Amino acid sequence: MTRARTPVARARAAVDWLLRDPATGKVVLYQRPNARLTAAGALTTTGKVLRATHVVAPGSTADVWLDRARTVLVVWWSVDEVLRGTTPYRRVIGGGVLAVTVWRAVQAERGRLWDAD
């Protein structure tokens, strides 16, 4: 006869499934950012500094391309997390970042199209 698991045991099993790397058995909440995410952060910082120092005007060609390059890197990272994330938690984070990034990119491009008229 099997014994029913308690709610605490079920919750612990769910957390283990969500956060534990099956290959190592370690809980994975955070990893050092890979090159794509580091480059996206560098592009974000560069764009903010260039706009703040008035080297690049907001909405200029250089500003738009910096934003697009950052978006491509973040989408690349998030798709990789969705497909190859070590845990379901990492895959959910990748999917959430992908959804928000695509939504923001579409909104930005729509704004650029409307501003062009």
Side-chain angles (χ1 to χ4, degrees):
M1 185 176 263
T2 58
R3 195 172 62 174
R5 292 186 356 179
T6 65
V8 171
R10 283 194 304 263
R12 179 170 283 161
V15 169
D16 276 352
W17 171 80
L18 190 65
L19 302 176
R20 198 166 297 278
D21 182 352
T24 64
K26 293 181 180 178
V27 172
V28 180
L29 289 175
Y30 174 80
Q31 288 179 321
R32 186 175 59 84
N34 61 21
R36 289 179 296 258
L37 208 50
T38 302
L43 282 173
T44 300
T45 303
T46 300
K48 288 182 184 244
V49 168
L50 291 176
R51 283 190 300 276
T53 58
H54 304 289
V55 173
V56 171
S60 68
T61 302
D63 186 46
V64 168
W65 282 104
L66 279 169
D67 185 51
R68 287 177 179 164
R70 180 198 53 79
T71 299
V72 166
L73 288 169
V74 172
V75 166
W76 185 8
W77 171 83
S78 60
V79 167
D80 186 46
E81 282 298 321
V82 168
L83 296 177
R84 299 186 315 138
T86 56
T87 64
Y89 169 76
R90 298 282 308 266
R91 290 183 175 142
V92 168
I93 294 296
V97 169
L98 178 62
V100 169
T101 303
V102 168
W103 182 80
R104 289 185 66 200
V106 167
Q107 295 302 312
E109 291 302 320
R110 285 179 65 195
R112 289 184 191 111
L113 288 173
W114 288 110
D115 289 343
D117 290 341

